[in-house]
Amino acid sequence: LAISALVLAFSQPYIPSETNNASGNEYKVCIYIDNSYSTQTDSRYGKISELAKKKALETAEVYPENTQFLFLTNEFDQKHLHYVSKEQLKEFILETEISPTVRNIKSVIEKSKNFFSENTEENNQYITYIISDFQKTSSNLEDLDKDSLMNVVFIPIEAANRNNMYIDSV
């Protein structure tokens, strides 16, 4: 009996508590795709808008099935302003079309931050992914507020040719 007690003590058995269930530590993920006209340009691997969709789908695949997603585009469409499952997120991503609306990065971060603060729960990890071509007019990163509680990941997609229009010959 003494030897069994020693073996049991040194094996450090794990007994899960009732409050620590499988959904106890969930992820809340916001994925933003810049769908402005500037994303119609070509990158080295195809159109920026299509590459952004691909990156968003790859990002979603990293997370487990119980992850709740918030999907944002430049329109801040009402149908997107709630948590969705991974399957519904994939549908939203594939339905994304080019829009004339332009949002700056600061407003996107504020929108996700406000949504997360309104829907706060314990034991959740919040993260925002911003997939964009990061045009200078809409993404002044120096203006962003420093917030240690907000996890933001920037995924840049560069255009292949950055030349402006000019007169070649007259």
mmCIF file with all atom_site columns, all heavy atoms in Angstrom, residues 9 21 35 41 43 48 51 55 69 106:
data_model
loop_
_atom_site.group_PDB
_atom_site.id
_atom_site.type_symbol
_atom_site.label_atom_id
_atom_site.label_alt_id
_atom_site.label_comp_id
_atom_site.label_asym_id
_atom_site.label_entity_id
_atom_site.label_seq_id
_atom_site.pdbx_PDB_ins_code
_atom_site.Cartn_x
_atom_site.Cartn_y
_atom_site.Cartn_z
_atom_site.occupancy
_atom_site.B_iso_or_equiv
_atom_site.pdbx_formal_charge
_atom_site.auth_seq_id
_atom_site.auth_comp_id
_atom_site.auth_asym_id
_atom_site.auth_atom_id
_atom_site.pdbx_PDB_model_num
ATOM 1  N N   . ALA A 1 9   ? 1.819   9.179  -6.067  1.00 0.00 ? 9   ALA A N   1
ATOM 2  C CA  . ALA A 1 9   ? 2.242   10.546 -5.755  1.00 0.00 ? 9   ALA A CA  1
ATOM 3  C C   . ALA A 1 9   ? 3.246   11.057 -6.785  1.00 0.00 ? 9   ALA A C   1
ATOM 4  O O   . ALA A 1 9   ? 3.189   12.214 -7.207  1.00 0.00 ? 9   ALA A O   1
ATOM 5  C CB  . ALA A 1 9   ? 2.838   10.611 -4.364  1.00 0.00 ? 9   ALA A CB  1
ATOM 6  N N   . ASN A 1 21  ? -13.732 22.841 -19.074 1.00 0.00 ? 21  ASN A N   1
ATOM 7  C CA  . ASN A 1 21  ? -14.205 21.954 -20.133 1.00 0.00 ? 21  ASN A CA  1
ATOM 8  C C   . ASN A 1 21  ? -13.516 22.295 -21.442 1.00 0.00 ? 21  ASN A C   1
ATOM 9  O O   . ASN A 1 21  ? -12.674 23.163 -21.518 1.00 0.00 ? 21  ASN A O   1
ATOM 10 C CB  . ASN A 1 21  ? -15.725 22.044 -20.261 1.00 0.00 ? 21  ASN A CB  1
ATOM 11 C CG  . ASN A 1 21  ? -16.185 23.464 -20.504 1.00 0.00 ? 21  ASN A CG  1
ATOM 12 O OD1 . ASN A 1 21  ? -15.393 24.332 -20.849 1.00 0.00 ? 21  ASN A OD1 1
ATOM 13 N ND2 . ASN A 1 21  ? -17.475 23.697 -20.325 1.00 0.00 ? 21  ASN A ND2 1
ATOM 14 N N   . ASN A 1 35  ? -10.925 45.376 -49.057 1.00 0.00 ? 35  ASN A N   1
ATOM 15 C CA  . ASN A 1 35  ? -11.502 45.108 -50.370 1.00 0.00 ? 35  ASN A CA  1
ATOM 16 C C   . ASN A 1 35  ? -11.734 46.404 -51.155 1.00 0.00 ? 35  ASN A C   1
ATOM 17 O O   . ASN A 1 35  ? -12.687 46.536 -51.901 1.00 0.00 ? 35  ASN A O   1
ATOM 18 C CB  . ASN A 1 35  ? -12.796 44.299 -50.247 1.00 0.00 ? 35  ASN A CB  1
ATOM 19 C CG  . ASN A 1 35  ? -13.874 45.009 -49.450 1.00 0.00 ? 35  ASN A CG  1
ATOM 20 O OD1 . ASN A 1 35  ? -13.584 45.861 -48.618 1.00 0.00 ? 35  ASN A OD1 1
ATOM 21 N ND2 . ASN A 1 35  ? -15.112 44.647 -49.679 1.00 0.00 ? 35  ASN A ND2 1
ATOM 22 N N   . THR A 1 41  ? -5.193  45.524 -58.132 1.00 0.00 ? 41  THR A N   1
ATOM 23 C CA  . THR A 1 41  ? -3.910  45.453 -58.820 1.00 0.00 ? 41  THR A CA  1
ATOM 24 C C   . THR A 1 41  ? -3.295  44.067 -58.668 1.00 0.00 ? 41  THR A C   1
ATOM 25 O O   . THR A 1 41  ? -3.692  43.285 -57.805 1.00 0.00 ? 41  THR A O   1
ATOM 26 C CB  . THR A 1 41  ? -2.929  46.512 -58.276 1.00 0.00 ? 41  THR A CB  1
ATOM 27 O OG1 . THR A 1 41  ? -2.758  46.292 -56.877 1.00 0.00 ? 41  THR A OG1 1
ATOM 28 C CG2 . THR A 1 41  ? -3.439  47.916 -58.502 1.00 0.00 ? 41  THR A CG2 1
ATOM 29 N N   . SER A 1 43  ? -0.340  41.347 -57.882 1.00 0.00 ? 43  SER A N   1
ATOM 30 C CA  . SER A 1 43  ? 0.866   41.096 -57.096 1.00 0.00 ? 43  SER A CA  1
ATOM 31 C C   . SER A 1 43  ? 1.682   40.069 -57.871 1.00 0.00 ? 43  SER A C   1
ATOM 32 O O   . SER A 1 43  ? 1.310   39.666 -58.972 1.00 0.00 ? 43  SER A O   1
ATOM 33 C CB  . SER A 1 43  ? 0.512   40.566 -55.705 1.00 0.00 ? 43  SER A CB  1
ATOM 34 O OG  . SER A 1 43  ? 0.062   39.237 -55.794 1.00 0.00 ? 43  SER A OG  1
ATOM 35 N N   . ILE A 1 48  ? -4.370  41.071 -55.852 1.00 0.00 ? 48  ILE A N   1
ATOM 36 C CA  . ILE A 1 48  ? -4.249  41.243 -54.399 1.00 0.00 ? 48  ILE A CA  1
ATOM 37 C C   . ILE A 1 48  ? -5.526  40.807 -53.695 1.00 0.00 ? 48  ILE A C   1
ATOM 38 O O   . ILE A 1 48  ? -5.484  40.175 -52.643 1.00 0.00 ? 48  ILE A O   1
ATOM 39 C CB  . ILE A 1 48  ? -3.890  42.698 -54.052 1.00 0.00 ? 48  ILE A CB  1
ATOM 40 C CG1 . ILE A 1 48  ? -2.461  42.997 -54.513 1.00 0.00 ? 48  ILE A CG1 1
ATOM 41 C CG2 . ILE A 1 48  ? -4.059  42.979 -52.577 1.00 0.00 ? 48  ILE A CG2 1
ATOM 42 C CD1 . ILE A 1 48  ? -2.024  44.428 -54.298 1.00 0.00 ? 48  ILE A CD1 1
ATOM 43 N N   . LEU A 1 51  ? -5.623  37.051 -53.488 1.00 0.00 ? 51  LEU A N   1
ATOM 44 C CA  . LEU A 1 51  ? -4.583  36.603 -52.560 1.00 0.00 ? 51  LEU A CA  1
ATOM 45 C C   . LEU A 1 51  ? -4.995  36.882 -51.112 1.00 0.00 ? 51  LEU A C   1
ATOM 46 O O   . LEU A 1 51  ? -4.729  36.072 -50.221 1.00 0.00 ? 51  LEU A O   1
ATOM 47 C CB  . LEU A 1 51  ? -3.260  37.287 -52.885 1.00 0.00 ? 51  LEU A CB  1
ATOM 48 C CG  . LEU A 1 51  ? -2.013  36.745 -52.221 1.00 0.00 ? 51  LEU A CG  1
ATOM 49 C CD1 . LEU A 1 51  ? -1.837  35.261 -52.508 1.00 0.00 ? 51  LEU A CD1 1
ATOM 50 C CD2 . LEU A 1 51  ? -0.795  37.512 -52.694 1.00 0.00 ? 51  LEU A CD2 1
ATOM 51 N N   . LYS A 1 55  ? -5.288  34.176 -48.108 1.00 0.00 ? 55  LYS A N   1
ATOM 52 C CA  . LYS A 1 55  ? -4.613  34.334 -46.807 1.00 0.00 ? 55  LYS A CA  1
ATOM 53 C C   . LYS A 1 55  ? -5.621  34.252 -45.658 1.00 0.00 ? 55  LYS A C   1
ATOM 54 O O   . LYS A 1 55  ? -5.333  33.680 -44.605 1.00 0.00 ? 55  LYS A O   1
ATOM 55 C CB  . LYS A 1 55  ? -3.877  35.674 -46.745 1.00 0.00 ? 55  LYS A CB  1
ATOM 56 C CG  . LYS A 1 55  ? -2.735  35.796 -47.713 1.00 0.00 ? 55  LYS A CG  1
ATOM 57 C CD  . LYS A 1 55  ? -1.503  35.176 -47.150 1.00 0.00 ? 55  LYS A CD  1
ATOM 58 C CE  . LYS A 1 55  ? -0.332  35.480 -48.073 1.00 0.00 ? 55  LYS A CE  1
ATOM 59 N NZ  . LYS A 1 55  ? 0.850   34.773 -47.689 1.00 0.00 ? 55  LYS A NZ  1
ATOM 60 N N   . PHE A 1 69  ? -15.479 33.575 -35.017 1.00 0.00 ? 69  PHE A N   1
ATOM 61 C CA  . PHE A 1 69  ? -14.851 34.554 -35.888 1.00 0.00 ? 69  PHE A CA  1
ATOM 62 C C   . PHE A 1 69  ? -15.736 35.779 -36.072 1.00 0.00 ? 69  PHE A C   1
ATOM 63 O O   . PHE A 1 69  ? -16.956 35.674 -36.129 1.00 0.00 ? 69  PHE A O   1
ATOM 64 C CB  . PHE A 1 69  ? -14.575 33.947 -37.267 1.00 0.00 ? 69  PHE A CB  1
ATOM 65 C CG  . PHE A 1 69  ? -13.546 32.863 -37.265 1.00 0.00 ? 69  PHE A CG  1
ATOM 66 C CD1 . PHE A 1 69  ? -13.914 31.531 -37.181 1.00 0.00 ? 69  PHE A CD1 1
ATOM 67 C CD2 . PHE A 1 69  ? -12.195 33.171 -37.351 1.00 0.00 ? 69  PHE A CD2 1
ATOM 68 C CE1 . PHE A 1 69  ? -12.966 30.521 -37.182 1.00 0.00 ? 69  PHE A CE1 1
ATOM 69 C CE2 . PHE A 1 69  ? -11.235 32.168 -37.355 1.00 0.00 ? 69  PHE A CE2 1
ATOM 70 C CZ  . PHE A 1 69  ? -11.625 30.847 -37.269 1.00 0.00 ? 69  PHE A CZ  1
ATOM 71 N N   . LYS A 1 106 ? -6.718  52.348 -38.462 1.00 0.00 ? 106 LYS A N   1
ATOM 72 C CA  . LYS A 1 106 ? -7.103  52.719 -37.096 1.00 0.00 ? 106 LYS A CA  1
ATOM 73 C C   . LYS A 1 106 ? -8.591  52.469 -36.853 1.00 0.00 ? 106 LYS A C   1
ATOM 74 O O   . LYS A 1 106 ? -8.978  51.955 -35.809 1.00 0.00 ? 106 LYS A O   1
ATOM 75 C CB  . LYS A 1 106 ? -6.760  54.184 -36.842 1.00 0.00 ? 106 LYS A CB  1
ATOM 76 C CG  . LYS A 1 106 ? -6.997  54.616 -35.416 1.00 0.00 ? 106 LYS A CG  1
ATOM 77 C CD  . LYS A 1 106 ? -6.501  56.014 -35.168 1.00 0.00 ? 106 LYS A CD  1
ATOM 78 C CE  . LYS A 1 106 ? -6.682  56.369 -33.705 1.00 0.00 ? 106 LYS A CE  1
ATOM 79 N NZ  . LYS A 1 106 ? -6.089  57.650 -33.382 1.00 0.00 ? 106 LYS A NZ  1
#
